[in-house]
């Protein structure tokens, strides 16, 4: 009989280990494959089962030792799953909170219903304990799968919540573990039916708090989606205005090119009439080089980047600014709206500053590189004197302070959002803005 109980408990521990690892896998996605086993999920599930067995030898209920479960799941997340650290922490804490609260609720309910002590429910090898264990595991599985279904139904995305919102949610979940552990410990020391009932009510209240927290996540996510959509519309309206301005600029450039072409044809006609073929060919090559210098066309896999960079650099050319661009082919992991805002503000600041210079030689360079999920955006422009010396905080010099001067703040905010950094410095008569973005954290 003892052997069968041990086999039953090992099976339950393995089952729970699988469920605990399955939630973060589905929530974050695997690094190596879309298969659970190929991301070492089975290995960590077995490790989780072993950890449960070891802790059961130390205590009948894990209480504060449950932090070890969180650490093991977090190790699985950082080694085998995608996502940022704060999202991996949530995926590690959330299933443990569900498992502990459900176990405590079912055990306390069993104790009250069958008029047993909580210690008897956890250690007795009888039908009451069997019912308690099976019920708890089925409830844990149901709640884990329901949570994943609700998150997927609401098109949940980890970036729809800010770091501060994530921090508040995770703190609430961690406090739930602490409060739940204290209630269970109190139940162990209480031998009166009233004390057991009070502890059961406390655990139910704790579960309600976590249910409210969960739906708070969904509701807040929906609201943030609406904010993002509104921001997209505002950005789209702004870019439409810019495209109209760029179209006017490009139209004037075309008119100028047509005027220049007339002169070119006249010169070519004169050379050909005189039979000076070599001079005509040299003149054609010279004009072709000039035309190429006036054309700017960046082609990447991202249409947003293409539109912003091509429009901005064409504008720069119209101001007589020599523009050079070296860029990556894709921007995996960067939200399109963030990419638009970053590129637009970096280039706007550089073009505005450079176009106001009195010097004849004006330069602008754009260099975007990528190394293992880390993108570096570097935009440099010519200066006549030190900007940082006269304006170290980079405050706006425009008259309308309410609608301008936000570019630098937006750039810094986007860098912070991706756990990167933003730096402004001067080198070789150039003012440089460098932004580093991490997409695999």
């Amino acid at each position: 009989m003892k052997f069968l109980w041990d086999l039953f408990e090992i099976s339950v521990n393995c089952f729970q280990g699988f469920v605990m690892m399955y939630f973060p896998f589905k929530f974050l996605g695997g690094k190596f494959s879309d298969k659970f086993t190929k991301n070492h999920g089975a290995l960590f599930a077995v490790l989780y089962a072993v950890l449960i067995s070891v802790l059961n030898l130390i205590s009948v209920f894990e209480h504060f030792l449950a932090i070890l479960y969180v650490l093991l799941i977090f190790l699985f997340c950082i080694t085998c799953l995608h996502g940022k650290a704060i999202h991996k922490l949530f995926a590690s804490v959330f299933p443990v909170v569900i498992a502990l609260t459900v176990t405590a609720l079912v055990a306390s309910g069993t104790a009250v219903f069958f008029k047993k002590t909580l210690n008897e429910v956890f250690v007795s090898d009888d039908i009451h304990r069997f019912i308690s264990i099976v019920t708890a595991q089925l409830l844990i599985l149901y709640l884990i799968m329901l949570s994943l279904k609700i998150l997927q139904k609401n098109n949940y995305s980890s970036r729809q919540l800010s770091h501060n919102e994530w921090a508040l949610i995770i703190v609430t979940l961690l406090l739930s573990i602490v409060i739940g552990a204290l209630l269970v410990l109190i139940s162990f020391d209480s031998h009166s039916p009233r004390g057991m009932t009070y502890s059961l009510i406390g655990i139910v209240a704790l579960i309600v708090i976590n249910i409210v927290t969960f739906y708070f996540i969904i509701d807040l996510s929906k609201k943030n989606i609406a904010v993002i959509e509104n921001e997209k519309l505002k950005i789209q309206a702004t870019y439409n205005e810019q495209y109209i301005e760029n179209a006017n600029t490009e139209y004037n450039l075309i008119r100028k090119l047509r005027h220049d072409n007339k002169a070119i044809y006249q010169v070519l006609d004169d050379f050909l009439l005189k039979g000076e073929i070599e001079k005509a060919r040299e003149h054609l090559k010279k004009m072709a080089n000039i035309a190429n210098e006036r054309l700017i066309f960046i082609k990447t896999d991202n249409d947003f980047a293409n539109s912003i960079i091509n429009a901005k650099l064409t504008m720069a050319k119209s101001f007589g600014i020599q523009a050079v661009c070296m860029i990556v082919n894709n921007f995996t992991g960067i939200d399109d709206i963030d990419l638009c805002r970053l590129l637009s503000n970096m280039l706007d600041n550089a073009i505005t500053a450079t176009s106001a210079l009195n010097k004849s030689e004006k330069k602008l360079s754009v260099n975007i590189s990528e190394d293992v999920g880390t993108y570096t955006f570097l935009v440099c422009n010519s200066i006549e004197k030190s900007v940082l010396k006269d304006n170290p905080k980079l405050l706006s010099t425009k008259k309308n302070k309410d609608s301008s001067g936000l570019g630098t703040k937006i750039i810094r905010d986007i860098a912070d959002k991706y756990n990167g950094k933003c730096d402004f410095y001067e080198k070789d008569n150039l003012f440089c803005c460098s932004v580093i973005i991490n997409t695999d954290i």
Side-chain angles (χ1 to χ4, degrees):
M1 188 68 178
K2 179 64 176 174
F3 171 75
L4 292 178
W5 267 109
D6 291 340
L7 183 62
F8 170 69
E9 289 188 352
I10 292 174
S11 300
V12 169
N13 293 345
C14 291
F15 173 79
Q16 187 170 330
F18 170 80
V19 174
M20 292 296 99
M21 297 302 166
Y22 186 75
F23 176 82
F25 167 73
K26 294 296 291 185
F27 183 75
L28 298 169
K31 284 184 179 179
F32 313 116
S33 170
D34 57 352
K35 303 295 183 182
F36 180 73
T37 54
K38 291 185 178 180
N39 288 278
H40 310 298
L43 172 62
F44 278 92
V46 171
L47 291 176
Y48 193 98
V50 172
L51 181 60
I52 295 177
S53 302
V54 171
L55 294 184
N56 285 343
L57 297 175
I58 300 174
S59 173
V60 294
F61 186 76
E62 294 87 342
H63 47 82
F64 300 112
L65 294 175
I67 193 66
L68 296 177
Y69 297 147
V70 174
L71 293 176
L72 180 59
I73 298 175
F74 188 68
L75 179 62
F76 172 54
C77 291
I78 62 176
T79 56
C80 304
L81 304 181
H82 289 299
K84 295 188 177 183
I86 195 164
H87 308 144
K88 292 178 178 179
L89 183 58
F90 168 79
S92 304
V93 176
F94 185 78
V96 174
V97 170
I98 289 180
L100 289 182
T101 52
V102 168
T103 300
L105 174 66
V106 173
S108 299
T110 303
V112 172
F113 185 80
F114 291 105
K115 297 180 180 180
K116 290 178 172 288
T117 65
L118 197 59
N119 189 67
E120 289 174 339
V121 174
F122 275 110
V123 300
S124 299
D125 296 341
D126 56 18
I127 188 63
H128 301 130
R129 184 185 173 200
F130 177 83
I131 294 173
S132 175
I133 292 175
V134 172
T135 302
Q137 297 306 313
L138 291 177
L139 272 175
I140 291 170
L141 175 63
Y142 172 76
L143 291 175
I144 289 292
M145 300 306 295
L146 178 64
S147 300
L148 288 172
K149 185 177 180 179
I150 292 174
L151 292 173
Q152 292 171 354
K153 182 180 178 180
N154 287 275
N155 295 320
Y156 176 79
S157 171
S158 60
R159 284 189 184 157
Q160 290 163 9
L161 300 179
S162 68
H163 283 185
N164 290 336
E165 291 165 347
W166 274 115
L168 289 173
I169 292 168
I170 291 173
V171 167
T172 301
L173 294 174
L174 289 173
L175 287 176
S176 298
I177 293 178
V178 174
I179 295 172
L182 289 173
L183 288 172
V184 172
L185 290 175
I186 292 172
S187 298
F188 274 117
D189 294 334
S190 176
H191 299 286
S192 67
R194 179 176 296 180
M196 293 289 295
T197 303
Y198 289 161
S199 297
L200 179 61
I201 292 173
I203 294 172
V204 171
L206 186 63
I207 291 175
V208 172
I209 290 173
N210 281 277
I211 292 174
V212 172
T213 300
F214 179 78
Y215 280 97
F216 167 74
I217 297 173
I218 300 298
D219 185 60
L220 191 59
S221 176
K222 289 180 179 179
K223 289 180 179 179
N224 286 346
I225 290 175
V227 171
I228 291 172
E229 291 300 324
N230 289 334
E231 186 176 359
K232 286 182 179 180
L233 292 175
K234 290 179 181 178
I235 291 175
Q236 185 177 0
T238 301
Y239 290 155
N240 286 340
E241 294 177 0
Q242 292 179 356
Y243 292 152
I244 292 173
E245 295 176 1
N246 292 337
N248 291 330
T249 301
E250 292 175 5
Y251 174 70
N252 291 329
L253 281 174
I254 291 172
R255 290 182 60 189
K256 185 178 179 181
L257 287 172
R258 290 179 62 185
H259 181 270
D260 292 343
N261 284 340
K262 290 181 181 179
I264 293 171
Y265 295 148
Q266 289 176 358
V267 173
L268 286 175
D269 186 57
D270 290 339
F271 283 145
L272 292 174
L273 286 174
K274 296 176 182 179
E276 298 176 343
I277 304 300
E278 286 301 321
K279 288 185 178 182
R281 293 181 62 185
E282 290 177 7
H283 189 68
L284 277 174
K285 290 180 181 179
K286 183 178 179 181
M287 292 301 102
N289 290 334
I290 293 175
N292 287 333
E293 289 176 1
R294 290 179 178 177
L295 292 174
I296 296 177
F297 185 75
I298 301 300
K299 179 63 177 176
T300 71
D301 291 339
N302 189 291
D303 292 334
F304 289 90
N306 295 338
S307 299
I308 294 297
I309 295 176
N310 289 330
K312 298 298 182 183
L313 295 191
T314 299
M315 180 187 296
K317 282 287 188 178
S318 70
F319 291 129
I321 301 173
Q322 299 178 24
V324 178
C325 184
M326 296 181 63
I327 189 172
V328 295
N329 195 44
N330 61 73
F331 298 87
T332 304
I334 304 177
D335 182 78
D336 288 334
I337 294 299
D338 292 334
L339 182 63
C340 285
R341 296 175 71 205
L342 180 63
L343 290 173
S344 183
N345 282 284
M346 290 180 74
L347 291 171
D348 275 343
N349 290 348
I351 293 171
T352 300
T354 310
S355 62
L357 298 180
N358 294 321
K359 61 194 301 184
S360 58
E361 187 177 1
K362 303 175 185 179
K363 294 182 179 180
L364 171 66
S365 66
V366 181
N367 192 314
I368 305 175
S369 58
E370 186 264 343
D371 182 23
V372 194
T374 299
Y375 290 86
T376 301
F377 294 75
L378 179 62
V379 176
C380 298
N381 59 274
S382 301
I383 54 176
E384 292 177 323
K385 60 179 181 178
S386 175
V387 175
L388 295 176
K389 184 178 180 180
D390 297 335
N391 187 11
K393 294 185 179 180
L394 298 176
L395 300 176
S396 175
T397 58
K398 299 178 182 178
K399 294 181 180 180
N400 188 356
K401 301 292 183 180
D402 294 332
S403 60
S404 63
L406 297 177
T408 302
K409 183 180 184 302
I410 291 173
I411 293 170
R412 293 187 187 276
D413 288 344
I414 293 174
D416 290 339
K417 178 178 179 179
Y418 291 87
N419 294 326
K421 63 180 182 178
C422 175
D423 188 25
F424 298 93
Y425 62 91
E426 296 171 352
K427 180 181 179 182
D428 299 331
N429 293 322
L430 294 173
F431 179 85
C432 299
C433 173
S434 173
V435 176
I436 295 177
I437 286 181
N438 299 306
T439 60
D440 192 22
I441 295 181

